[in-house]
Amino acid sequence: VRMSIETKARNKRFVQLAVTTALATTALTACTGKAAPGHASSAAHAEKALDKGQASKAVRHAEAALLANAYLEDGRFASAATTFAEAVELGDTAPRTVISFTLAQIAVGDQRGALETLDRFEAALDPADYGLAIALSGRPDRGVHVLGNALRAGQNTPKVRQNLAYAYALQGNWRAARVM
């Protein structure tokens, strides 16, 4: 029983580390211009609502644009998940928003919700992000499969390799994780 408790604690710390790293990677990717910033879509929706005289709708979009990211950065995952859900409901389905929403869901222990979000938006997501998110959501075998396919298809980037290493570790394949 003691070993099981220690193993669970170790796995929980690992998932927290992986979520934190995934958040940092998502932020860095946005800074390099490879993905649109998560708030850009919501900000554009807010601007359109203002142009139409829909002030309360514009406020909701603007809040979703900045507040969710601020909550996520501050570690307030429940608030971030709620606010990202509202952003998605309002139409912000940019890949960074979806991945950030999924990571917030995972952080609060809502793996089922995270899997539903990932299933809904899989086609629009970068395999490097999708693979790690699906692994963190409780499907490490699927994450390894997605990331391995991305690597074999020529997406040999540090992000894919790092995320594949995390997916291997979540799978319990520590040898492959170290090699990666």
Side-chain angles (χ1 to χ4, degrees):
V1 175
R2 181 178 172 97
M3 187 65 143
S4 177
I5 293 170
E6 289 176 3
T7 301
K8 286 180 183 179
R10 190 175 327 126
N11 286 345
K12 184 178 179 181
R13 284 191 305 271
F14 180 77
V15 168
Q16 289 171 334
L17 172 65
V19 168
T20 302
T21 302
L23 290 171
T25 302
T26 301
L28 289 174
T29 301
C31 292
T32 63
K34 293 181 183 174
H39 58 76
S41 178
S42 288
H45 286 296
E47 208 170 294
K48 285 179 187 175
L50 275 176
D51 289 344
K52 293 179 182 178
Q54 300 170 332
S56 63
K57 189 174 184 179
V59 168
R60 287 196 312 272
H61 280 292
E63 284 175 345
L66 299 175
L67 193 55
N69 286 313
Y71 282 145
L72 200 58
E73 290 290 325
D74 195 36
R76 296 172 58 185
F77 299 120
S79 297
T82 301
T83 309
F84 276 122
E86 185 175 321
V88 170
E89 184 180 311
L90 289 169
D92 182 357
T93 57
R96 182 166 183 230
T97 301
V98 172
I99 287 296
S100 296
F101 177 36
T102 302
L103 293 174
Q105 289 175 302
I106 294 165
V108 297
D110 183 13
Q111 275 70 17
R112 176 186 243 175
L115 288 169
E116 289 171 3
T117 301
L118 289 169
D119 285 346
R120 182 173 166 199
F121 295 103
E122 177 181 0
L125 300 175
D126 177 12
D129 294 327
Y130 175 80
L132 179 59
I134 202 82
L136 289 168
S137 297
R139 293 198 175 150
D141 293 340
R142 175 86 175 121
V144 166
H145 176 76
V146 168
L147 291 161
N149 283 345
L151 189 62
R152 283 186 289 282
Q155 198 174 347
N156 188 3
T157 65
K159 181 179 178 180
V160 170
R161 296 179 74 76
Q162 172 185 298
N163 290 355
L164 182 54
Y166 279 133
Y168 277 136
L170 287 166
Q171 192 181 46
N173 188 346
W174 294 101
R175 184 172 185 212
R178 277 191 292 274
V179 168
M180 190 53 56

